[in-house]
């Protein structure tokens, strides 16, 4: 059974600082997604990583994927309060016939303090 | 706004009851997925439909069932409700599951918050 582990689960950081969230998974997959969730809200797609070595950046967030190490990272640069949210990584499990599901990590609750 | 709609937003009901959650996918998306988010279990995949047919099943209880209609909207039916079924239920849709180039990216609806008392 696929396991997706995120760490840390809770992250409190000061504005202006940098930090990295890690996402490890236990089986082969070359599709990984990062989502953001604000309290009581839906999941907002941040990044779609589809191949080994993929790197994507949007604003202060950068995500990368190493399929050989089964590791994805979400790097936060010069954090601002607006980035406070819970971040999920999700690994795509594809079976035959195009069926698929996402297996989510437990999420990293990020709090950015002024 | 992802383009996926879900109704109702909130649902409060009693144990033993049955409820139906509704989802309309993004225009042009053929696949619908249902997920449950609870504090103790996190986000869990329940079931996937593609163009009206069931494609994949996850940790879905036998008390729960779903279907996708010809107009591609989907309904999740939850019966004999228990306190532990209280959760946020998300629907997501994608264009072509398993497609390359990101065409299978899942977009999530706003969710239905179910409270079982």
């Amino acid at each position: 059974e696929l396991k997706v582990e995120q760490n840390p689960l809770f992250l409190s950081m000061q504005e202006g600082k940098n930090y990295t969230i890690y996402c490890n998974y236990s089986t082969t997959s070359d599709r990984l997604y990062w989502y953001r969730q604000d309290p009581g809200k839906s999941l907002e797609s941040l990044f779609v990583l589809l191949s080994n070595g993929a790197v994507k950046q949007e604003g202060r967030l950068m995500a990368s994927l190493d399929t050989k190490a089964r590791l994805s990272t979400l790097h936060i640069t010069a954090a601002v309060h607006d980035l406070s949210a819970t971040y999920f990584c999700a690994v795509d499990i594809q079976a035959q016939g195009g069926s698929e599901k996402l297996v989510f990590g437990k999420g990293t609750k990020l709090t950015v303090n002024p | 706004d992802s383009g996926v709609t879900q109704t109702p937003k909130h649902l409060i009901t009693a144990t033993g009851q049955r409820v139906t959650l509704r989802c309309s996918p993004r225009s042009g998306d053929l696949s619908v997925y249902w997920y449950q988010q609870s504090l103790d279990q996190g986000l869990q995949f329940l079931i996937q439909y593609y163009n009206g047919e069931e494609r994949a099943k996850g940790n879905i209880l036998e008390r729960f069932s779903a279907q996708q209609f010809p107009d591609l909207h989907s309904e999740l039916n939850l019966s004999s409700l228990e306190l532990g079924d209280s959760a946020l239920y998300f629907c997501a849709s994608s264009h072509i599951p398993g497609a390359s180039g990101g065409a299978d990216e899942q977009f999530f609806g706003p969710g239905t918050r179910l409270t079982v008392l």
Side-chain angles (χ1 to χ4, degrees):
Chain A
E1 182 187 332
L2 171 66
K3 291 191 190 308
V4 180
E5 293 186 357
Q6 276 183 248
N7 69 83
L9 296 182
F10 298 92
L11 177 55
S12 179
M13 55 191 297
Q14 282 189 312
E15 280 192 329
K17 298 293 187 183
N18 305 333
Y19 208 84
T20 300
I21 299 170
Y22 297 88
C23 175
N24 290 91
Y25 54 98
S26 62
T27 195
T28 303
S29 174
D30 57 2
R31 296 164 188 250
L32 190 139
Y33 303 85
W34 284 95
Y35 289 91
R36 168 183 171 143
Q37 186 179 36
D38 292 298
K41 303 291 186 182
S42 185
L43 292 150
E44 174 192 350
S45 178
L46 293 175
F47 297 108
V48 178
L49 302 169
L50 299 177
S51 61
N52 186 40
V55 177
K56 291 198 173 177
Q57 182 162 7
E58 180 75 35
R60 300 174 188 273
L61 301 177
M62 183 172 71
S64 66
L65 177 62
D66 181 342
T67 58
K68 293 179 183 176
R70 298 179 186 171
L71 170 68
S72 181
T73 60
L74 180 66
H75 186 73
I76 303 154
T77 302
V80 293
H81 180 69
D82 284 352
L83 290 179
S84 297
T86 299
Y87 294 84
F88 291 92
C89 66
V91 177
D92 191 319
I93 297 296
Q94 240 182 315
Q96 290 181 340
S99 62
E100 59 174 22
K101 65 176 184 179
L102 294 179
V103 179
F104 283 84
K106 290 188 183 297
T108 296
K109 185 172 181 180
L110 171 65
T111 304
V112 181
N113 302 304
Chain B
D1 185 353
S2 67
V4 179
T5 60
Q6 288 186 248
T7 56
K9 280 190 174 178
H10 302 277
L11 202 45
I12 301 174
T13 188
T15 54
Q17 296 298 304
R18 173 190 168 94
V19 296
T20 297
L21 313 183
R22 184 189 167 106
C23 167
S24 292
R26 293 185 318 157
S27 177
D29 282 359
L30 301 174
S31 198
V32 168
Y33 311 77
W34 286 97
Y35 292 86
Q36 179 195 59
Q37 185 177 32
S38 61
L39 280 174
D40 45 342
Q41 298 291 328
L43 265 161
Q44 288 203 93
F45 168 76
L46 295 178
I47 196 163
Q48 177 204 7
Y49 279 82
Y50 174 69
N51 208 17
E53 292 191 5
E54 182 185 303
R55 270 295 176 99
K57 244 180 179 177
N59 300 322
I60 186 166
L61 300 172
E62 283 191 16
R63 301 182 285 108
F64 295 1
S65 64
Q67 56 185 132
Q68 187 179 26
F69 295 86
D71 67 352
L72 301 177
H73 91 270
S74 177
E75 292 181 356
L76 179 67
N77 300 296
L78 314 176
S79 61
S80 303
L81 285 167
E82 301 175 359
L83 296 177
D85 297 327
S86 296
L88 201 47
Y89 290 84
F90 287 109
C91 167
S93 73
S94 71
H95 186 53
I96 303 173
S100 60
D104 58 349
E105 181 181 356
Q106 295 183 28
F107 294 88
F108 283 75
T112 293
R113 181 169 294 282
L114 173 66
T115 303
V116 182
L117 302 174

